[in-house]
Amino acid sequence: MEREETLLDVRNLKTYFFTDDGVVKAVDGMSFTIRKGEVLGLVGESGCGKSVASLSIMQLVEPPGKIVEGEIIFKGEDLLKKTPEQMRKIRGSEIAMIFQEPMTSLNPVYTIGNQIMEAILIHQDLSEEEAKKRTIELLRLVGIPEPERRFNQYPHELSGGMRQRVMIAMAMSCNPDLLISDEATTALDVTIQAQILELMKDLQRKTGMAILFITHDLALVAEMAHSVAVAYTGKIVEYGDVYQIFKKPRHPYTYGLLSSVPSLKTEKTKTPLPAIEGMVPNPYKMPSGCHFNPRCPFATERCRKEMPELAEIEPGHLVRCFHPVAVEKEAVS
Amino acid sequence: MAVEATKIEEVLTGRVETYWYLVGKRLRKHRLAMLSLVVLILIILACIVGPYISPYKVSELGSTTEVLQPPSWKHPLGTDELGRDVLTRLFYGGRISLLVGFSSVVSALLVGIIVGAYAGYFGGFLDTILMRFTDIMFSIPVMPLLIVLSSVIPGAGVWKIVLVIAIFGWMTDARIVRGMFLSLRENEYVEAARAIGVSNNRIIWRHILPNSFAPIIVSATLGVGGNIIYEAALSYLGFGVMPPTPSWGNMLQNAQYAMAIAPWLVWSPGLAMFITVLAFNYLGDGLRDAMDPKLYR
Amino acid sequence: MRKLVEVQNLIKYFPVLGGIFSRPVAWVKAVDDVSFHIFEGETFGLVGESGSGKTTAGKTIIRLIEPTKGKIIFDGKDITKLPENQLRPIRREMQIIFQDPYGSLNPRMPIGEIIREPLLVHGIGDKKEQEERVVEIMKLVGLRPEYLRRYPHEFSGGQRQRIGIARAIVLNPKFVVADEPVSALDASIQAQVLNLLLELQQKLALTYLLVAHNLAVVRHVSDRIGVMYLGKIVEVAETKELFSTPLHPYTQALLSAIPIPDPEIKKERILLQGDIPSPINPPSGCRFRTRCRFAKDICAEKEPPLIDVGSGHYVACHFVKEGKVVEYSK
């Protein structure tokens, strides 16, 4: 992939939730960049802050959550300095977002055609006739058969996969520069997931938009992304291009995650998987030092006391670890 | 690889956080509900202790000079048309009103829970029969019926009132409980219990009922206040607690004849009832918020 | 090998109620004439997408759902029509682990009670013996016995799943249906729970029916796999055989749709067209024909039977003939 100019630059983002029981640092100093036309995979398990990070970019964080620090530079301007009105214009036109559950994002009492048309009319100066034409074009673009007929259907008449296509059509309606996909294929069946991923790849190639691809599924990232950020407890622990992350994972967490997924290649079925021990720490009681140290097989005294910095260990490959894993990852996957 | 218990990380807090502990914790943050709770405790204590420390007896008649006296040091809330101390009667009447309120709610709940639980859990034919019966009970015009009844059966003891309120008051509880059972029986833990071989009765009482307590308790709390008013209305129709036993309801009813010359007779039971019912309503609201499953993490 | 479970022509239709009298107006054909067997000590994986009927099949086998038709033989005994009171002693032998670690535990019961309840219901031991057994089982599944007075909401998803597993094995069953046991868990926790299931199978000689949609998970723990599509079994084979030579076009597409965590592998996908049809109104003939690349006229006319192509490999497709595989062609 050729180096292109930076589209989105998230710097030291901190989004905290101030609850009755204490402060949850959902996103705690995340930094990442997305160039034009790049697909960045943001992976992690529940509670790693990946969804809150995306909501922070859109400024859709709701109380008790609050962005307390950081910059979100989009096309050279800090989104955190925008007024709510300016943000509203950016959302849906320059940055679009699709979610896991398309049913809750679609209004059940309007036809899908109406809803896409509305999105177009809000952001673009088009006549109703033109908007309708554009809507049908979009429905065709996302692979919905018989778009003229589907235009008049209600969300409940469509299957989960079709609804997700409608959401993508709506997201694509204003040719966004950045598409945020938050677990958009998680609720779908494998064969339908394959269709949607293919569609997203295809649209990305055709339009050159950038995608922030958020998921818990490492395999999807391997397939979709150019670069990958692995998040754990609100911090990025490893960051690099997709080959670095999957072929030479250096953080013990990334390494452990990749090893613990059952592989389709291995002959050693019915044997124990190399699982990561323990579980994600309680957000109210983060361990001192490196947050991964209680589960890490390589943890030392230093890891229990100090939080390592995200440091570059080879060009473009950043790891937050005092004792990066040295082995190449060949046996797995 | 052996699974070792010690490898499962310690994440639990030191305290056993039961559901009720969490409800209490949230309720304490609800100021109006806490204030109501304090007020209710004071009222209940006063009603229990009051008659013992009062120098007057409940139905002790005063001399003719002491009839319809306005509030004074001797009688802080004045006296009634028979010269009885209103404050003492207010304490005693509170006992009766609260007793009627609580016991009628409990009896109505018992019927409502049994009907609602079986209708909701088993569904089908049983549900149809029980719920149609509930509908029929709902459609009986209670007040006109009681007016007629009161002329036939003059006067009733406290327990008869409780019975009347329970007989005509269980239907709402039955519907709430049925609704809870209808949705809760679809839960996987109910399926899990069936997979183990747990009997239907045990599933109803041990698995589903404890999970439907929240709306039942809210409804009961609101119900106590409602039934105190109900008793007053019945007294007004002449079907309530019969004098000389005082209740806030019949004190109010008595007072109407002397309202023009002795307004304190209306004010004291009226305010007592007003504050108590209001407090029950606020407490019920607070409990609803504290037990809301949507807020429940 | 002895067959522990045998399912013959199992059918489960759910009514779709409608009209003012709540009469069935249509039927969801969740499981439609399915036959298979599970050998003692093995793990049989049942895979399929939503609407395939895999979960319904799993729950019907242990009579959590009443079968509409067909026969379920468990441990040599026909349990299809047994009334609940005669079924109760057999429930000791067959248990289930649920998908949702949150919904499957009663939030108002301490976990010690949850695990003890099966012993209580079946009247096994006195209170002290039951409590000892609970502690023993908690240790076995990797839970600290000190926590037995705690309530489910205090535990994480992985620990809750361990509690569910403890409840299922406390009676020492022979057969356990694991219904999507790891799909609700985080990646790093999935491996822990899968390892626990494998370890328990070895220690307690369990027979599993693993119902799951994740083929990598099913491959890792299953000895044999059945593939379901719209209420029918389309292919059954030993795990290795199924993954190396899938014969049914649906199995082939399903396998090719699995995402692989390796950026160097750019797979040629068999992309299926369209959506899964509704199980209320499945296509005539072969149910997969509407999405099949090879479908011909015969597929709409005749339903392909599940035939043995050798070494326990069964396929239901018109283009796979007995003993040999006929090439698919357009």
Side-chain angles (χ1 to χ4, degrees):
Chain A
M1 195 199 60
E2 61 203 270
R3 296 266 151 179
E4 280 208 58
E5 60 176 297
T6 304
L7 178 70
L8 178 78
D9 188 2
V10 175
R11 292 181 196 160
N12 196 30
L13 178 67
K14 291 186 180 175
T15 306
Y16 293 176
F17 284 77
F18 299 89
T19 70
D20 292 341
D21 299 315
V23 179
V24 174
K25 298 176 178 178
V27 175
D28 195 15
M30 276 195 194
S31 304
F32 52 84
T33 58
I34 303 177
R35 287 181 294 275
K36 275 191 175 154
E38 182 186 1
V39 179
L40 173 71
L42 182 56
V43 274
E45 299 176 280
S46 54
C48 75
K50 56 189 192 295
S51 285
V52 176
S54 71
L55 291 174
S56 302
I57 295 169
M58 296 292 265
Q59 286 179 43
L60 292 172
V61 180
E62 294 198 6
K66 196 168 177 279
I67 301 171
V68 292
E69 209 184 307
E71 290 169 299
I72 299 169
I73 316 280
F74 180 68
K75 292 185 181 170
E77 290 176 57
D78 190 350
L79 293 185
L80 295 178
K81 296 207 173 77
K82 300 270 182 198
T83 63
E85 181 59 21
Q86 287 170 321
M87 244 347 266
R88 202 179 61 77
K89 285 212 177 95
I90 292 172
R91 279 198 294 265
S93 64
E94 291 171 72
I95 308 178
M97 191 162 177
I98 50 177
F99 300 91
Q100 175 173 351
E101 191 27 79
M103 198 59 199
T104 51
S105 326
L106 289 168
N107 189 331
V109 300
Y110 293 107
T111 64
I112 56 161
N114 263 325
Q115 297 187 53
I116 301 174
M117 254 176 79
E118 195 193 357
I120 295 173
L121 289 170
I122 287 173
H123 294 289
Q124 291 171 31
D125 192 21
L126 287 178
S127 72
E128 228 165 83
E129 198 63 21
E130 290 167 316
K132 181 166 181 181
K133 238 178 88 189
R134 172 102 178 101
T135 303
I136 289 173
E137 247 169 58
L138 280 165
L139 289 175
R140 189 170 289 125
L141 178 74
V142 297
I144 292 182
E146 305 171 76
E148 288 86 358
R149 189 171 67 85
R150 298 283 179 177
F151 185 92
N152 292 317
Q153 285 191 323
Y154 290 90
H156 72 264
E157 296 177 73
L158 304 176
S159 65
M162 281 297 157
R163 283 200 287 264
Q164 201 54 282
R165 284 176 195 266
V166 170
M167 286 310 296
I168 294 173
M170 205 179 284
M172 298 304 296
S173 65
C174 299
N175 298 316
D177 300 300
L178 175 65
L179 175 71
I180 301 178
S181 154
D182 188 356
E183 301 273 11
T185 62
T186 305
L188 304 174
D189 280 316
V190 224
T191 59
I192 309 296
Q193 169 172 279
Q195 293 172 354
I196 299 290
L197 290 179
E198 213 49 53
L199 171 69
M200 282 170 71
K201 270 192 238 172
D202 191 44
L203 289 173
Q204 196 269 330
R205 273 193 298 264
K206 274 185 196 158
T207 64
M209 66 177 171
I211 300 179
L212 175 58
F213 190 82
I214 297 172
T215 180
H216 70 282
D217 192 335
L218 283 159
L220 298 188
V221 169
E223 207 159 288
M224 289 291 297
H226 303 124
S227 10
V228 182
V230 182
Y232 188 74
T233 62
K235 292 178 187 292
I236 286 171
V237 295
E238 186 158 8
Y239 190 20
D241 74 41
V242 70
Y243 294 97
Q244 288 167 334
I245 298 290
F246 283 89
K247 291 295 169 186
K248 286 183 281 180
R250 305 297 299 271
H251 196 284
Y253 176 64
T254 318
Y255 186 87
L257 267 187
L258 282 168
S259 320
S260 67
V261 180
S263 147
L264 286 175
K265 273 201 232 149
T266 177
E267 292 294 312
K268 285 186 286 181
T269 57
K270 299 216 89 170
T271 52
L273 295 159
I276 303 177
E277 283 167 11
M279 60 186 126
V280 178
N282 181 334
Y284 295 107
K285 284 193 240 163
M286 280 298 167
S288 61
C290 172
H291 290 172
F292 188 61
N293 87 67
R295 306 175 74 186
C296 182
F298 312 113
T300 58
E301 205 45 48
R302 191 179 174 202
C303 305
R304 285 185 265 276
K305 285 188 182 131
E306 261 178 79
M307 166 65 80
E309 289 300 315
L310 191 62
E312 192 159 31
I313 54 168
E314 61 177 311
H317 192 172
L318 289 80
V319 179
R320 187 189 290 279
C321 185
F322 293 125
H323 315 287
V325 186
V327 257
E328 294 236 343
K329 190 110 196 96
E330 275 309 322
V332 295
S333 79
Chain B
M1 186 189 77
V3 185
E4 280 175 44
T6 47
K7 284 189 178 159
I8 309 298
E9 201 184 317
E10 170 89 44
V11 289
L12 305 181
T13 51
R15 204 186 304 106
V16 178
E17 289 199 338
T18 65
Y19 172 72
W20 297 113
Y21 170 81
L22 291 171
V23 168
K25 206 167 128 187
R26 277 195 296 265
L27 189 64
R28 276 197 288 282
K29 288 189 188 122
H30 202 291
R31 278 191 202 155
L32 217 45
M34 287 317 285
L35 182 70
S36 302
L37 192 63
V38 171
V39 167
L40 284 177
I41 289 171
L42 288 178
I43 289 176
I44 292 169
L45 276 179
C47 290
I48 293 171
V49 180
Y52 293 113
I53 50 173
S54 164
Y56 308 100
K57 288 211 176 78
V58 194
S59 303
E60 186 183 75
L61 303 182
S63 61
T64 42
T65 52
E66 284 182 345
V67 167
L68 286 178
Q69 290 294 306
S72 64
W73 279 112
K74 207 176 159 202
H75 298 286
L77 293 177
T79 59
D80 66 6
E81 76 282 0
L82 295 175
R84 295 173 294 195
D85 182 54
V86 173
L87 184 61
T88 309
R89 286 184 71 74
L90 196 66
F91 287 144
Y92 202 85
R95 280 187 180 183
I96 302 294
S97 283
L98 287 167
L99 182 73
V100 169
F102 276 110
S103 34
S104 58
V105 158
V106 170
S107 355
L109 262 184
L110 275 178
V111 180
I113 286 175
I114 291 171
V115 172
Y118 283 97
Y121 182 75
F122 290 104
F125 186 64
L126 185 66
D127 183 33
T128 311
I129 294 290
L130 287 174
M131 290 332 280
R132 287 305 80 80
F133 178 59
T134 307
D135 293 341
I136 291 168
M137 288 301 291
F138 249 128
S139 52
I140 294 175
V142 182
M143 285 296 173
L145 184 76
L146 287 180
I147 292 172
V148 176
L149 277 181
S150 68
S151 59
V152 184
I153 320 163
V158 171
W159 296 111
K160 275 191 195 154
I161 304 294
V162 170
L163 196 68
V164 166
I165 297 180
I167 287 174
F168 294 106
W170 56 268
M171 294 82 76
T172 313
D173 295 322
R175 282 197 177 160
I176 292 173
V177 173
R178 172 180 175 265
M180 288 304 290
F181 269 66
L182 272 181
S183 69
L184 289 174
R185 71 169 183 190
E186 302 298 329
N187 266 320
E188 256 185 358
Y189 60 79
V190 174
E191 203 172 18
R194 288 205 295 121
I196 290 163
V198 180
S199 66
N200 285 329
N201 271 319
R202 193 178 155 87
I203 291 179
I204 290 176
W205 303 119
R206 285 300 309 273
H207 287 270
I208 307 187
L209 190 64
N211 283 288
S212 35
F213 274 156
I216 293 176
I217 285 172
V218 172
S219 155
T221 310
L222 299 173
V224 175
N227 286 354
I228 289 174
I229 301 261
Y230 204 4
E231 185 273 329
L234 290 180
S235 291
Y236 208 84
L237 296 176
F239 200 75
V241 177
M242 280 294 128
T245 311
S247 77
W248 289 344
N250 67 23
M251 284 172 77
L252 207 55
Q253 189 223 1
N254 263 346
Q256 63 176 326
Y257 305 112
M259 203 156 74
I261 48 167
W264 58 88
L265 289 183
V266 180
W267 278 109
S268 27
L271 261 180
M273 209 181 322
F274 177 76
I275 291 171
T276 308
V277 173
L278 198 66
F280 271 114
N281 284 349
Y282 280 133
L283 183 63
D285 270 356
L287 279 170
R288 190 194 331 254
D289 292 346
M291 295 197 276
D292 192 333
K294 271 172 279 176
L295 296 171
Y296 182 51
R297 51 176 182 158
Chain C
M1 269 184 294
R2 203 169 79 93
K3 289 176 186 170
L4 183 66
V5 178
E6 207 175 342
V7 179
Q8 295 170 359
N9 306 95
L10 187 69
I11 292 177
K12 177 64 199 180
Y13 289 178
F14 290 104
V16 180
L17 300 178
I20 40 170
F21 297 111
S22 290
R23 292 268 160 74
V25 290
W27 298 91
V28 177
K29 294 166 181 156
V31 177
D32 203 359
D33 197 1
V34 157
S35 303
F36 62 94
H37 52 263
I38 303 170
F39 293 117
E40 192 157 31
E42 78 167 348
T43 301
F44 186 80
L46 206 50
V47 295
E49 299 179 277
S50 53
S52 65
K54 56 187 191 302
T55 292
T56 307
K59 288 183 178 172
T60 310
I61 290 169
I62 59 166
R63 287 279 308 273
L64 263 186
I65 295 175
E66 288 305 308
T68 307
K69 248 187 196 162
K71 217 173 184 187
I72 304 154
I73 296 162
F74 177 77
D75 209 2
K77 196 170 177 184
D78 185 350
I79 62 162
T80 327
K81 294 263 149 51
L82 280 187
E84 190 61 39
N85 59 349
Q86 285 176 45
L87 196 61
R88 194 160 290 143
I90 297 170
R91 291 218 182 275
R92 279 180 68 170
E93 307 288 339
M94 46 184 207
Q95 280 300 316
I96 179 165
I97 299 164
F98 291 92
Q99 169 176 16
D100 179 6
Y102 293 85
S104 59
L105 303 177
N106 187 340
R108 299 281 182 280
M109 266 196 186
I111 65 157
E113 284 300 300
I114 291 175
I115 301 171
R116 191 168 77 98
E117 189 169 35
L119 301 169
L120 201 71
V121 167
H122 290 276
I124 297 163
D126 55 27
K127 193 167 184 217
K128 195 167 156 272
E129 286 164 352
Q130 289 173 356
E131 274 164 4
E132 282 167 8
R133 174 77 178 148
V134 168
V135 169
E136 184 191 336
I137 287 290
M138 284 177 80
K139 282 184 188 156
L140 185 64
V141 300
L143 287 166
R144 289 188 178 202
E146 303 92 279
Y147 291 160
L148 63 87
R149 281 182 215 296
R150 303 276 178 160
Y151 286 81
H153 73 262
E154 299 176 75
F155 295 86
S156 68
Q159 284 174 315
R160 283 163 177 246
Q161 204 54 307
R162 288 176 198 269
I163 299 165
I165 292 171
R167 170 178 60 192
I169 61 167
V170 72
L171 288 170
N172 242 329
K174 286 188 181 134
F175 176 57
V176 174
V177 175
D179 182 13
E180 298 274 13
V182 299
S183 67
L185 305 176
D186 272 324
S188 73
I189 308 299
Q190 287 197 359
Q192 295 175 359
V193 173
L194 288 177
N195 287 349
L196 175 64
L197 288 175
L198 286 170
E199 188 196 333
L200 291 175
Q201 180 166 44
Q202 273 192 347
K203 278 189 184 162
L204 308 173
L206 293 170
T207 304
Y208 286 134
L209 171 63
L210 177 71
V211 176
H213 70 280
N214 185 329
L215 282 145
V217 165
V218 175
R219 177 180 184 270
H220 189 77
V221 296
S222 302
D223 299 291
R224 290 190 309 130
I225 295 175
V227 181
M228 282 188 81
Y229 185 80
L230 269 181
K232 296 268 182 200
I233 285 193
V234 296
E235 188 160 4
V236 181
E238 281 189 12
T239 304
K240 258 186 203 147
E241 167 99 2
L242 189 87
F243 277 80
S244 59
T245 45
L247 293 179
H248 198 282
Y250 175 64
T251 313
Q252 293 170 352
L254 198 60
L255 294 186
S256 90
I258 309 172
I260 293 178
D262 186 341
E264 278 173 358
I265 299 177
K266 296 287 179 215
K267 292 211 296 190
E268 257 322 294
R269 281 254 156 84
I270 306 169
L271 270 190
L272 289 180
Q273 295 305 305
D275 284 319
I276 306 163
S278 157
I280 295 179
N281 214 343
S284 65
C286 172
R287 296 196 172 177
F288 183 60
R289 70 176 165 84
T290 51
R291 301 172 78 196
C292 183
R293 300 180 289 164
F294 311 112
K296 285 184 181 162
D297 291 345
I298 183 178
C299 304
E301 289 154 16
K302 243 179 84 188
E303 190 184 316
L306 193 65
I307 54 164
D308 192 349
V309 292
S311 60
H313 193 156
Y314 299 82
V315 190
C317 177
H318 288 302
F319 305 119
V320 178
K321 297 279 179 259
E322 265 168 83
K324 63 174 183 157
V325 185
V326 176
E327 274 298 304
Y328 294 107
S329 56
K330 275 261 173 192

